[in-house]
Amino acid sequence: MKEVEKYWNPVLETLPREKLVELQLKKFKSIFKWAYEHSKFYHQLYAEAGIEPGDIKTFEDIRKIPKIEKSMMRAIQGKEPYPYGDMLAMPLERVTIYHQTSGTTGQPVYQADSWQDWEWWAEAWACLLYAQGYRDYDRLFLPFGYNIFVAFWGAHYGAEKLGCEVVPGGVLNTEARILKMQELRATAMAATPTYVLGMADTARRKLGIDPAKDLQIRRITVAGEAGGSVPATKKRMEEAWGAKVYDHVGATEIGAWSFECRYQSGLHINEALFLVEIEDINSGEVITELGRRGKMVITALDRMAQPCIRFDSKDIIEWSPDKCECGRSFRLLKGGVIGRADDITKVKGVLLAPTSIEEVVRSIPELSDEYEVLVTKKGDLDDITLKVELTPGQQNKIETIRAKLIDQLRVRTNLGYNLEFHEYGTLPRYDVKAKRFKDLRHKE
Ligand SMILES: [Zn+2]
């Protein structure tokens, strides 16, 4: 492949590191000034901290700027200008699209975008799809009604911008979507990991279709859940579909900030459009070294209507020591988004990331795709139960699998579990996003 064909934007994606950092600083100053001058919310926040646009000269200065978080956004919404509140940095007349967060962690957050912001969303998506090998000959099937959620709208417009042919597969049920993909010979799909696995299961059981053999999907972009960066889950998806699976992490309040490229060596941050800082969860100190986890503080460098400046996303990440073969200057995160600061809880005094349990369960082929984790309290002690399903015909291996599970869970999570084996097909199935980790300790 010729160099020029490797990148959507060859200049930005291969900028020498020092130029890229220079660009980020320049863009940061500009978005900071914009928010300071046009958004009442930001103006007040920065005025109280005694920081003005002229004070921002270096990355050190940026670290002194107050962060924002979801709870602050929730507190102002419903106020004027209705319904977004005064974080808005443009007159309402310039807002052209409404979206909201899914509300899995509380009341949904409203998000306004102008037409210019919408072009920015499409640009970020076009860049990531191109990096994943999408080209103008691809026919991308989107098996969702996108509704008020931004993710698949972004995929839709980004793919169109790139020149792909987009098939909006909303309204149809799962079986009809699979048949439509087959009929149209769709070559690519974007969905949540839960749905990618669920569709393959439905195809095999209800339609007698083997997606790996009978469909022509060769590329799948997954988003919305951690699975795309959990190796065992990714392997299951790739085998089920005979396709390459690439992770993407984005957020309504932030934008389409990261992607895995064709080389699958980790999650690239689109550093031409976003500035990512990693902070120690307890001390708040900025982490620049490799191999140390912290939470992400992120700025969308070009988002205008509802700016996102130093947003405390609570995503747990760490810088990767690896360089990607693709030649992009954008840095990699090791293992994608490892979890959320809210999810990584202490169980029996041990820090637990639910993705480690996912990795263990999905790496055992005799277990189905479904599992459930329940954390409860017995007296003063935490109790953790893992429910799994054996796939049909594996009953005779139950003791071997039990031993394997106990052993690997101990190694990866440092915890002992109550194991429950359930009959195949009896644990809850989810359509889009799954809730498999249930911490019930605070509710009892
Ligand atoms: Zn790469």
Side-chain angles (χ1 to χ4, degrees):
M1 197 183 279
K2 279 184 285 177
E3 277 306 295
V4 66
E5 289 170 347
K6 276 171 73 174
Y7 311 106
W8 172 251
N9 186 326
V11 176
L12 284 180
E13 291 173 54
T14 60
L15 268 187
R17 193 78 214 153
E18 64 279 9
K19 293 272 178 212
L20 184 58
V21 169
E22 210 175 282
L23 176 73
Q24 288 184 308
L25 188 59
K26 192 176 155 208
K27 280 190 169 192
F28 188 96
K29 288 180 194 171
S30 154
I31 194 71
F32 183 88
K33 185 167 188 280
W34 168 262
Y36 184 87
E37 289 173 355
H38 295 90
S39 156
K40 264 192 194 163
F41 168 88
Y42 277 112
H43 187 93
Q44 197 180 342
L45 183 71
Y46 299 150
E48 277 169 16
I51 300 176
E52 290 176 3
D55 299 333
I56 315 295
K57 296 190 179 73
T58 63
F59 285 96
E60 284 295 315
D61 299 329
I62 291 177
R63 289 168 197 163
K64 294 175 200 145
I65 298 171
K67 288 172 287 187
I68 58 161
E69 53 180 277
K70 246 185 189 172
S71 59
M72 296 159 95
M73 299 167 91
R74 288 197 185 105
I76 52 168
Q77 71 187 19
K79 299 185 179 149
E80 291 301 321
Y82 192 84
Y84 303 104
D86 58 13
M87 187 182 276
L88 212 61
M90 276 184 190
L92 266 181
E93 291 78 1
R94 287 184 64 190
V95 174
T96 53
I97 186 86
Y98 168 89
H99 293 107
Q100 65 175 53
T101 59
S102 61
T104 39
T105 55
Q107 190 199 348
V109 172
Y110 304 154
Q111 186 69 49
D113 280 304
S114 66
W115 184 249
Q116 183 185 348
D117 292 322
W118 194 241
E119 288 188 329
W120 163 83
W121 268 105
E123 177 65 15
W125 265 96
C127 177
L128 80 90
L129 292 173
Y130 200 87
Q132 295 175 345
Y134 287 74
R135 294 296 180 268
D136 53 10
Y137 46 74
D138 274 304
R139 182 170 291 145
L140 169 66
F141 194 92
L142 292 169
F144 289 106
Y146 325 146
N147 202 320
I148 43 183
F149 308 116
V150 73
F152 295 98
W153 285 108
H156 182 127
Y157 282 87
E160 274 193 18
K161 184 169 183 177
L162 194 156
C164 297
E165 181 182 329
V166 180
V167 185
V171 185
L172 305 174
N173 66 19
T174 300
E175 284 145 275
R177 283 170 183 158
I178 294 163
L179 292 172
K180 190 51 93 180
M181 271 186 203
Q182 186 176 39
E183 176 195 337
L184 297 177
R185 298 179 192 162
T187 61
M189 169 170 89
T192 58
T194 289
Y195 199 52
V196 170
L197 290 172
M199 279 180 108
D201 192 49
T202 302
R204 286 187 302 255
R205 280 189 303 113
K206 296 198 176 155
L207 300 169
I209 287 177
D210 176 355
K213 293 203 185 86
D214 305 327
L215 300 179
Q216 300 190 22
I217 300 288
R218 293 297 165 258
R219 235 183 292 289
I220 300 174
T221 302
V222 290
E225 293 174 323
S229 287
V230 174
T233 300
K234 176 183 262 176
K235 187 162 173 268
R236 280 191 178 219
M237 293 190 280
E238 294 195 326
E239 285 174 359
W241 287 85
K244 281 284 183 188
V245 170
Y246 304 103
D247 199 11
H248 156 63
V249 185
T252 317
E253 319 87 303
I254 305 166
W257 61 272
S258 72
F259 61 87
E260 195 176 24
C261 75
R262 288 192 308 129
Y263 294 87
Q264 297 180 309
S265 20
L267 209 56
H268 281 286
I269 294 166
N270 187 336
E271 293 185 285
L273 302 181
F274 298 90
L275 173 67
V276 165
E277 303 165 79
I278 306 182
E279 248 188 22
D280 186 274
I281 298 178
N282 299 314
S283 69
E285 171 202 353
V286 174
I287 296 172
T288 48
E289 66 265 40
L290 307 172
R292 194 173 142 204
R293 289 180 180 180
K295 61 177 179 173
M296 178 170 82
V297 175
I298 186 165
T299 299
L301 296 167
D302 306 88
R303 197 172 194 175
M304 307 290 281
Q306 198 169 322
C308 171
I309 302 174
R310 298 205 84 224
F311 177 65
D312 181 352
S313 76
K314 316 240 188 275
D315 288 317
I316 303 294
I317 53 174
E318 79 179 69
W319 295 118
S320 165
D322 301 330
K323 272 212 171 298
C324 189
E325 278 179 70
C326 70
R328 286 181 178 77
S329 336
F330 301 163
R331 280 179 292 178
L332 294 170
L333 295 180
K334 189 178 172 186
V337 170
I338 297 149
R340 289 179 50 79
D342 310 341
D343 290 348
I344 297 185
T345 46
K346 272 198 175 166
V347 178
K348 302 181 187 177
V350 176
L351 276 179
L352 172 71
T355 45
S356 338
I357 303 174
E358 175 172 343
E359 173 62 28
V360 171
V361 173
R362 296 268 170 83
S363 68
I364 298 177
E366 291 86 357
L367 296 177
S368 85
D369 296 328
E370 292 305 328
Y371 64 95
E372 194 169 74
V373 184
L374 293 178
V375 185
T376 52
K377 239 181 173 35
K378 274 196 179 154
D380 281 341
L381 298 174
D382 291 337
D383 202 52
I384 184 161
T385 301
L386 171 63
K387 301 180 180 180
V388 292
E389 287 178 354
L390 283 174
T391 52
Q394 306 291 345
Q395 266 311 326
N396 58 336
K397 293 194 193 157
I398 192 163
E399 288 316 315
T400 326
I401 293 162
R402 184 192 299 276
K404 204 170 174 183
L405 264 175
I406 290 174
D407 185 45
Q408 294 193 11
L409 286 166
R410 170 76 61 193
V411 170
R412 297 208 47 128
T413 69
N414 223 356
L415 286 169
Y417 297 73
N418 310 313
L419 285 183
E420 287 182 12
F421 285 86
H422 289 248
E423 201 176 316
Y424 181 73
T426 55
L427 287 178
R429 259 61 180 169
Y430 300 88
D431 270 351
V432 183
K433 281 199 197 192
K435 188 143 181 57
R436 300 194 176 92
F437 185 85
K438 293 174 181 162
D439 189 346
L440 306 173
R441 285 174 297 181
H442 309 297
K443 289 171 193 157
E444 287 171 359

